[in-house]
């Protein structure tokens, strides 16, 4: 069977388009409609009609400014921490692991064999009174004898850092592994000491991995609600938690939809600025 | 370890260098002096230890035993960035994220040189690529990348420039052109060049001194003409060009000459060109030194009779004959085509003659196949 050459790309694109149209475009249009609905006067809870009430966005944002800010602060901390942990790890796997390379890579993705939820609940145990972290830190007098870690911002950020670490490590590894070690040798040959060679050659050449890894960590972290729900307290609520409770508890669909759109827009703007700033479009 | 290694100048001396990887000795008790200002080639097949030697000089590997001096400074354990030595890497290793200008400026900036722009422009002019300063390495052809890699190294005016198979990735025509250019640039800048290659023609074209390496040791060192005309081992005789090696026995002497018996026929050769240790030897003659004559023609010099032309290959500038000798050996003869058509045909009964002083003598216990094996890795690099 032969196809005219021009049609082949479209045929190949069709399944993807069909899938995205059904499960992304349509729901998002639906979500956009919902975000401007208002309650039916005298109707039941959860009954809304289309009114193009764009004021929903303003109320939704002003009522939840604090949670928005917290989402981006937590996500930023988690991203920076994940980068600080993942870069040396990915570097070691790419350049120093030798025959253990594949084993280490399997270990990096091994957490995915267990559910995200279970792993987060496990962190509750680890950071709890009965775990070894809190008594350990107490006996070293790093934290006070009464201080706890569960239900704190630290616990939420720690949980997010842990959960998104593989998303940071893998792209970093991929771009470090692609670096020709001879370019690093060449830097040494051209009077750069280890630190300078790292700063001037290794880091710039790994930027595509840094950008991909930080985006893959920051974006889901900013919208995450599981870590805050399980490891946090009402005082550490993130915007994801607000959206979740608006949808499922208060049944306030318009506000939840408006918050979702605001979150998407905010992330889109931040990501665009970030990619502009790092100037790595051509490398990604 | 010396802090002023960076300003060391002078001859490069390797003293009893050994580099072992477990049981395997990549470089075995190597001693070598490379005079300042020379164009020196380390020539040998893949795995002979030449690249390991180069990497030890660059500081990228440390010798297991032995010392490396540059002038009077011991640089055996000096870090690469503290050595006044730059390398043109195989496949160039240009920095893909930097422009050509910044690639070349890299070494100057690290050393805090003032007039970076001026020096980079100068070296870009030297390699005739000033218009490429703003490009990235991936936008350049192989030949252009090669020149930039060279420019990036020589702009630093190192005491020593190392070239690791610098032309290996180029096609034949471009490689020939770059060989001549490299030699010209070396004379122009007056730096010491140490060149590692498996291509004997490349080494002979460029270097004033060649060290032929085999299995971690130096087989022979000398000028290209020395090595070619008077090889001391079968490996050198075969690795540099082709050789006819005929088994013989020393049968007395005649003044400065030895009389050698080659399967019952007496020939002579200069005593000082014999490297035999007892009466058995291989008489070596290069294929282009032989002359072919029809049986019965009077000839001068050494002669061997009883040959029969086995094969004729006309290759334009010359004709290659394979001549079968009565003792079963096939000799290779190259004749210039100065009279046009090759004068001999397959099956002609001929005698072979040559000037006695062109003969060289190898030890009778040599492996005459040494250096003739074609390494599959070398073929890939071609």
């Amino acid at each position: 069977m032969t196809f005219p050459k021009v049609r082949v790309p479209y045929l190949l694109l069709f399944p993807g388009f069909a899938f995205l149209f059904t499960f992304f475009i349509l729901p998002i249009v639906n979500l956009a409609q919902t975000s401007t609905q208002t309650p039916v006067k005298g109707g039941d809870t959860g009954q809304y009609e289309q009114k193009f009430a764009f004021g929903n966005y303003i109320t939704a944002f002003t009522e939840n400014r604090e949670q928005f800010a917290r989402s981006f602060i937590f996500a930023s901390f988690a991203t920076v921490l994940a980068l600080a942990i993942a870069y040396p790890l990915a570097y070691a796997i790419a350049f120093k692991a030798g025959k253990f390379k594949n084993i280490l890579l399997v270990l990096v993705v091994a957490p995915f064999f267990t559910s995200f939820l279970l792993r987060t609940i496990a962190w509750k145990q680890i950071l709890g009174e009965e775990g070894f972290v809190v008594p350990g830190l107490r006996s070293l007098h790093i934290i006070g004898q009464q201080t706890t870690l569960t239900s704190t911002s630290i616990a939420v950020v720690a949980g997010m850092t842990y959960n998104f670490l593989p998303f940071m490590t893998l792209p970093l590894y991929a771009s470090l592994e692609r670096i020709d070690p001879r370019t690093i040798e060449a830097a040494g040959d051209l009077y750069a000491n280890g630190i300078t060679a790292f700063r001037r050659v290794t880091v710039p050449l790994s930027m595509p991995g840094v950008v991909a890894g930080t985006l893959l960590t920051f974006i889901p972290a900013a919208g995450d609600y599981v870590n805050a729900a399980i490891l946090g307290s009402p005082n550490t609520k993130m915007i994801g938690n607000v959206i979740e409770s608006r949808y499922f508890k208060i049944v306030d669909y318009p506000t939840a939809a408006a918050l979702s759109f605001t979150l998407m827009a905010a992330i889109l703007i931040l990501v665009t600025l970030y990619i502009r700033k790092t100037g790595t479009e051509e490398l990604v | 370890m010396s802090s002023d290694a960076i300003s060391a100048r002078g001859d490069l001396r390797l003293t009893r260098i050994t580099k072992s990887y477990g049981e395997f000795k990549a470089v075995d008790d190597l001693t070598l002096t490379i005079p300042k200002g020379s164009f020196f080639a380390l020539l040998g097949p893949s795995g002979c230890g030449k690249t390991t030697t180069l990497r030890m000089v660059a500081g990228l590997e440390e010798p297991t035993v032995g010392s490396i001096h540059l002038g009077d400074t011991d640089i055996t354990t000096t870090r690469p960035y503290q050595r006044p030595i730059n390398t043109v890497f195989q496949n160039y290793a240009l920095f893909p994220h930097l422009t050509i200008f910044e690639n070349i400026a890299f070494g100057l900036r690290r050393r805090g040189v003032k007039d970076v722009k001026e020096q980079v422009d100068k070296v870009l002019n030297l390699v005739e690529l000033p218009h490429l300063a703003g490009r990235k390495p991936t936008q350049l052809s192989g030949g252009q990348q090669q020149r930039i890699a060279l420019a990036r190294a020589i702009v630093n005016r190192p005491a020593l420039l190392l070239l690791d198979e610098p032309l290996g990735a180029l096609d034949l025509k471009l490689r020939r052109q770059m060989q001549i250019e490299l030699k010209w640039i070396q004379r122009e800048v007056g730096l010491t060049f140490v060149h590692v290659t498996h291509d004997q023609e490349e080494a002979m074209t460029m270097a004033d001194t060649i060290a032929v390496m085999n299995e971690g040791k130096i087989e022979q060192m000398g000028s290209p003409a020395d090595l070619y005309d008077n090889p001391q081992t079968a490996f050198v005789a075969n690795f540099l060009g082709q050789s006819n090696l005929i088994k013989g026995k020393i049968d007395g002497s005649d003044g400065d000459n030895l009389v050698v018996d080659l399967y019952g026929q007496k020939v002579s050769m200069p005593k000082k060109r014999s490297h035999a240790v007892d009466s058995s030897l291989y008489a070596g003659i290069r294929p282009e030194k032989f002359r072919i004559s029809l049986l019965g023609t009077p000839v001068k010099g050494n002669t061997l009779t009883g040959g029969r032309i086995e094969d004729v290959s006309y290759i334009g500038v010359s004709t290659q004959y394979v001549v079968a000798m009565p003792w079963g050996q096939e000799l290779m003869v190259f004749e210039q085509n100065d009279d046009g058509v090759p004068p001999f045909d397959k099956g002609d009964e001929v005698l072979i003659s040559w000037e006695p002083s062109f003969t060289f003598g190898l030890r009778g216990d040599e492996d005459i196949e040494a250096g003739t094996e074609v390494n599959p890795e070398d073929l890939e690099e071609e």
Side-chain angles (χ1 to χ4, degrees):
Chain A
M1 198 157 67
T2 57
F3 296 102
K5 274 210 171 100
V6 199
R7 271 190 226 153
V8 175
Y10 294 107
L11 280 168
L12 293 173
L13 284 173
F14 181 76
F17 266 132
F19 186 89
L20 282 179
F21 184 78
T22 319
F23 297 105
F24 182 68
I25 308 282
L26 286 182
I28 228 161
V29 169
N30 185 265
L31 193 70
Q33 285 174 344
T34 312
S35 73
T36 56
Q37 288 173 349
T38 54
V40 176
K41 288 220 169 63
D44 287 336
T45 320
Q47 254 196 317
Y48 294 96
E49 55 185 349
Q50 194 62 48
K51 280 284 164 97
F52 298 102
F54 291 99
N56 284 353
Y57 279 86
I58 294 157
T59 13
F61 182 73
T62 45
E63 278 175 13
N64 298 290
R65 258 182 307 196
E66 195 194 322
Q67 286 80 2
F68 262 114
R70 194 177 290 125
S71 291
F72 288 110
I73 291 166
F74 282 8
S76 305
F77 269 110
T79 306
V80 170
L81 279 173
L83 182 64
I85 297 168
Y87 203 104
L89 175 64
Y91 187 91
I93 298 175
F95 293 119
K96 311 281 178 199
K99 58 181 175 172
F100 299 109
K101 199 181 249 189
N102 289 334
I103 296 172
L104 288 169
L105 281 174
V106 170
L107 288 177
V108 168
V109 293
F112 290 133
F113 296 142
T114 333
S115 124
F116 178 64
L117 221 51
L118 277 179
R119 279 181 280 138
T120 313
I121 292 167
W123 266 77
K124 204 173 174 169
Q125 305 292 315
I126 294 168
L127 297 176
E129 294 293 309
E130 62 276 29
F132 52 86
V133 177
V134 169
L137 290 175
R138 278 183 189 154
S139 67
L140 292 169
H141 298 283
I142 291 169
I143 58 173
Q145 297 309 306
Q146 306 308 317
T147 317
T148 55
L149 287 182
T150 42
S151 311
T152 63
S153 308
I154 293 172
V156 179
V157 172
M160 290 204 296
T161 306
Y162 163 76
N163 276 315
F164 297 113
L165 199 55
F167 297 107
M168 183 67 92
T169 312
L170 293 178
L172 274 177
Y173 165 77
S175 73
L176 283 167
E177 208 257 349
R178 266 210 317 254
I179 297 177
D180 180 354
R182 273 175 302 195
T183 56
I184 298 167
E185 284 186 351
D189 190 70
L190 292 164
Y191 315 106
N193 61 30
I195 294 164
T196 314
F198 178 73
R199 227 160 44 85
R200 297 278 173 178
V201 178
T202 313
V203 169
L205 287 178
S206 66
M207 272 320 277
V210 174
V211 172
T214 46
L215 291 181
L216 284 176
T217 306
F218 183 83
I219 296 170
D224 181 70
Y225 68 94
V226 173
N227 286 287
I230 295 175
L231 300 169
S233 70
N235 295 328
T236 63
K237 262 194 185 167
M238 295 169 68
I239 198 65
N241 304 86
V242 178
I243 295 171
E244 192 246 349
S245 73
R246 291 280 168 158
Y247 256 115
F248 298 114
K249 300 198 180 107
I250 308 173
V251 209
D252 177 3
Y253 300 135
T255 309
L259 285 173
S260 300
F261 263 101
T262 313
L263 179 64
M264 269 193 272
I267 289 175
L268 208 62
I269 291 166
L270 279 173
V271 166
T272 314
L273 290 176
Y274 176 62
I275 292 180
R276 281 261 174 83
K277 183 92 184 11
T278 48
T280 47
E281 301 104 287
E282 58 175 311
L283 287 172
V284 173
Chain B
M1 192 143 23
S2 165
S3 57
D4 54 15
I6 200 85
S7 54
R9 291 292 183 271
D11 298 350
L12 177 76
R13 283 184 292 124
L14 308 185
T15 314
R16 310 209 60 178
I17 294 281
T18 296
K19 177 69 184 178
S20 316
Y21 297 100
E23 290 288 289
F24 174 68
K25 282 183 178 166
V27 174
D28 189 2
D29 198 17
L30 181 104
T31 297
L32 179 65
T33 299
I34 297 175
K36 185 169 180 254
S38 62
F39 199 139
F40 193 95
L42 280 172
L43 173 68
S46 296
C48 72
K50 59 190 194 299
T51 296
T52 309
T53 307
L54 194 79
R55 289 176 65 83
M56 288 190 286
V57 175
L60 300 168
E61 308 268 353
E62 218 174 280
T64 316
V65 184
S67 67
I68 303 172
H69 284 82
L70 188 60
D72 296 323
T73 315
D74 185 341
I75 57 164
T76 315
T77 56
T78 308
R79 311 285 303 147
Y81 63 89
Q82 290 166 335
R83 299 185 185 206
I85 296 173
N86 291 117
T87 309
V88 176
F89 288 83
Q90 198 175 6
N91 301 12
Y92 324 129
L94 296 175
F95 304 122
H97 59 299
L98 299 178
T99 59
I100 295 310
F101 184 94
E102 285 303 323
N103 261 281
I104 298 174
F106 195 91
L108 298 174
R109 292 203 196 285
R110 299 291 82 73
R111 289 183 300 134
V113 170
K114 292 276 182 295
D115 51 345
V116 172
K117 170 113 182 60
E118 200 186 318
Q119 297 211 29
V120 173
D121 287 348
K122 218 167 94 188
V123 78
L124 272 170
N125 279 319
L126 181 74
V127 297
E128 294 171 341
L129 295 173
H131 54 291
L132 296 181
R135 304 256 184 98
K136 291 281 182 71
T138 47
Q139 297 169 292
L140 269 55
S141 71
Q144 290 170 333
Q145 291 187 30
Q146 207 286 326
R147 285 173 210 218
I148 297 306
L150 179 69
R152 184 178 70 170
I154 58 177
V155 74
N156 300 295
R157 301 239 144 216
L160 201 62
L161 184 80
L162 308 178
L163 301 115
D164 184 8
E165 304 266 6
L167 309 178
L170 304 181
D171 64 56
L172 193 69
K173 213 172 155 191
L174 196 53
R175 213 187 308 170
R176 296 285 170 261
Q177 185 193 331
M178 282 306 296
Q179 286 170 7
I180 295 164
E181 251 173 73
L182 267 176
K183 201 172 173 177
W184 177 80
I185 288 173
Q186 194 260 342
R187 256 185 255 135
E188 196 74 359
V189 296
L191 303 172
T192 315
F193 277 34
V194 180
H195 173 216
V196 153
T197 184
H198 67 271
D199 181 340
Q200 49 105 3
E201 197 178 329
E202 189 173 302
M204 291 179 83
T205 312
M206 295 198 284
D208 15 86
T209 311
I210 299 174
V212 181
M213 279 190 79
N214 184 31
E215 293 177 348
K217 291 182 193 288
I218 290 180
E219 286 267 334
Q220 192 179 345
M221 200 169 102
S223 71
D226 269 353
L227 293 177
Y228 187 79
D229 288 338
N230 192 9
Q232 293 171 9
T233 65
F235 182 86
V236 176
N238 291 321
F239 197 76
L240 268 86
Q242 284 173 285
S243 293
N244 293 296
L245 301 176
I246 308 167
K247 193 154 185 59
K249 243 172 65 191
I250 297 173
D251 200 28
S253 67
D254 171 21
D256 287 339
N257 286 337
L258 289 173
V259 178
V260 180
D261 181 314
L262 301 177
Y263 296 97
Q265 308 195 40
K266 298 272 198 292
V267 301
S268 76
M269 63 169 289
K271 268 182 185 163
K272 59 178 194 302
R273 289 169 65 90
S274 168
H275 307 288
V277 287
D278 50 27
S279 68
S280 76
L281 98 172
Y282 279 102
I285 306 99
R286 295 291 188 180
E288 75 281 2
K289 302 292 194 299
F290 276 149
R291 291 284 165 267
I292 301 182
S293 319
L294 284 174
L295 219 52
T297 324
V299 290
K300 284 195 293 184
N302 289 330
T303 53
L304 290 173
T305 56
R308 197 164 53 81
I309 305 256
E310 213 33 37
D311 190 47
V312 182
S313 316
Y314 176 75
I315 53 165
V317 62
S318 64
T319 303
Q320 303 189 354
Y321 296 96
V322 176
V323 181
M325 300 311 286
W327 57 87
Q329 191 175 6
E330 291 185 333
L331 299 180
M332 184 71 79
V333 183
F334 300 163
E335 292 271 14
Q336 288 294 310
N337 286 334
D338 19 21
D339 294 329
V341 191
F344 305 104
D345 287 323
K346 202 176 158 189
D348 285 357
E349 300 283 332
V350 294
L351 59 85
I352 280 176
S353 61
W354 74 96
E355 177 61 39
S357 63
F358 289 149
T359 321
F360 55 87
L362 304 178
R363 292 166 59 137
D365 57 357
E366 284 259 19
D367 166 19
I368 60 164
E369 296 296 319
T372 55
E373 304 89 351
V374 177
N375 191 322
E377 242 176 83
D378 290 349
L379 278 182
E380 259 170 51
E381 285 170 30
E382 290 297 320

